[in-house]
């Protein structure tokens, strides 16, 4: 799941938890919203940790080049 999907889960969960007043006999809509927000936050943290590992830059190795004059003397 990408970062956009995680943000979508957080937004949809917040809408279900805070902006609706639906009453369903079999499902607690507020709890579903909280679970969606929690899964979205976990997804953001996992995505960021993976992205940080991908961005790690290995410093280039230095190479020494000798002049032609020094090489043949």
């Amino acid at each position: 799941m990408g970062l956009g999907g995680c943000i979508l889960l957080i937004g949809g969960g917040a809408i279900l938890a805070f902006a609706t007043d639906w009453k369903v006999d079999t499902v607690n809509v507020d709890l579903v919203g909280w679970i969606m927000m929690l899964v979205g936050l976990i997804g953001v943290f996992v995505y960021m940790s993976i992205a940080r590992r991908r961005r790690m830059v290995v410093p280039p190795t230095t190479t020494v080049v000798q002049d032609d004059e020094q090489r043949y003397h």
Side-chain angles (χ1 to χ4, degrees):
M1 173 177 11
L3 187 60
C6 295
I7 293 173
L8 187 67
L9 275 175
I10 294 170
I15 290 171
L16 286 177
F18 303 124
T20 60
D21 58 352
W22 299 337
K23 301 294 182 208
V24 180
D25 292 334
T26 57
V27 178
N28 187 348
V29 178
D30 291 336
L31 182 62
V32 171
W34 281 102
I35 292 171
M36 286 175 64
M37 286 191 292
L38 181 65
V39 170
L41 284 173
I42 291 170
V44 167
F45 288 126
V46 169
Y47 180 82
M48 290 300 179
S49 69
I50 291 172
R52 187 176 348 159
R53 285 188 199 145
R54 277 191 221 156
R55 284 189 223 147
M56 291 178 69
V57 177
V58 177
T61 58
T62 57
T63 57
V64 177
V65 178
Q66 295 179 349
D67 290 337
D68 285 338
E69 293 176 9
Q70 291 176 352
R71 214 181 289 174
Y72 297 115
H73 286 89

